[in-house]
Amino acid sequence: MAIIQLHDKKFIKYISSKEIDRIITKIAKQLNEDYMDEPPLILVTLNGAIVFAADLLKQLQFSSVLSCIKLSSYQGTTSTENMKTLIGLNEDVQGKRVLIIEDIVDTGKTYQTLAELLNQKGAKEIRIVTLTMKPDAYKLNLPVHYVGINIPDLFVVGRGLDYNGLGRNLPDIYQLYEI
Ligand code: 5GP
């Protein structure tokens, strides 16, 4: 279906599941080249990145320890200044390469918070892989190492991304549809 409704808002199909699968395979290939010699600790940001991470991890050919962290800055369709740690970092990252898996990089606030935390804990190298990125909203100088697809600064759902809890299970990505 091209248009769906979640709570009070309508969303229109924007990136097909097939295209997303193709993008993920391409990223996995690159990660396999870059990390085969020294695999990283993989840090998945909950809840949004779960779906992308599951698809990506199945295609990675190196062995990595997997850990999860949960930060929250979004309410509805807007980012807030308050970054809360809802589930903290349990793994020892001292001297390790770390690869963060994100569903979306928007302003970069989440990434910045994670990078600061991982630096404090002595990570040797910090990189990030994200399924989607909004370059027009991004406010940092930190490099975003692996980007699946750049998108405009519009609210999207699907493939792990939610609107107030709904939409994560959608295989395609949808954009906010305002008439
Ligand atoms: P940042 O900290 O980079 O501003 O935002 C990252 C987080 O905000 C993401 O992990 C995601 O939870 C949320 N976010 C940012 N943009 C969107 C969007 O377009 N749709 C959804 N569903 N979440 C978003």
Side-chain angles (χ1 to χ4, degrees):
M1 219 200 308
I3 294 179
I4 54 151
Q5 175 119 18
L6 299 173
H7 298 297
D8 58 329
K9 301 210 184 299
K10 286 189 167 56
F11 295 86
I12 187 159
K13 197 188 280 191
Y14 175 51
I15 311 168
S16 74
S17 171
K18 216 170 157 188
E19 172 70 1
I20 298 165
D21 289 342
R22 199 189 55 75
I23 288 167
I24 295 173
T25 299
K26 196 171 156 204
I27 298 177
K29 210 171 154 208
Q30 187 63 53
L31 295 176
N32 283 330
E33 278 176 27
D34 295 356
Y35 285 106
M36 199 53 89
D37 291 344
E38 192 186 343
L41 181 144
I42 291 179
L43 188 60
V44 180
T45 59
L46 302 174
N47 293 327
I50 290 177
V51 180
F52 169 46
D55 290 337
L56 183 66
L57 290 169
K58 281 178 282 187
Q59 298 187 54
L60 297 183
Q61 290 158 2
F62 48 83
S63 300
S64 276
V65 170
L66 185 67
S67 189
C68 295
I69 191 164
K70 186 168 183 176
L71 306 176
S72 179
S73 69
Y74 248 65
Q75 281 171 354
T77 59
T78 45
S79 187
T80 69
E81 286 301 315
N82 292 333
M83 184 67 66
K84 287 190 230 153
T85 304
L86 304 176
I87 298 174
L89 181 66
N90 291 321
E91 299 296 329
D92 177 17
V93 298
Q94 177 73 41
K96 293 180 186 160
R97 304 180 92 178
V98 178
L99 176 64
I100 301 165
I101 301 189
E102 262 288 17
D103 47 356
I104 191 160
V105 173
D106 182 21
T107 62
K109 230 180 306 154
T110 310
Y111 175 30
Q112 184 175 35
T113 306
L114 286 172
E116 280 169 7
L117 177 74
L118 292 166
N119 269 322
Q120 271 170 24
K121 303 257 180 197
K124 179 170 86 171
E125 178 198 86
I126 302 159
R127 290 193 195 169
I128 186 165
V129 53
T130 184
L131 179 59
T132 58
M133 170 159 185
K134 297 179 183 170
D136 295 341
Y138 191 65
K139 295 189 179 123
L140 308 180
N141 290 320
L142 286 175
V144 179
H145 307 84
Y146 307 96
V147 177
I149 185 165
N150 284 314
I151 62 171
D153 191 5
L154 286 172
F155 191 76
V156 289
V157 294
R159 210 62 177 224
L161 292 152
D162 74 312
Y163 168 51
N164 281 346
L166 297 183
R168 294 197 198 277
N169 58 312
L170 297 164
D172 309 293
I173 289 180
Y174 290 76
Q175 220 174 44
L176 190 60
Y177 183 61
E178 284 165 324
I179 316 161

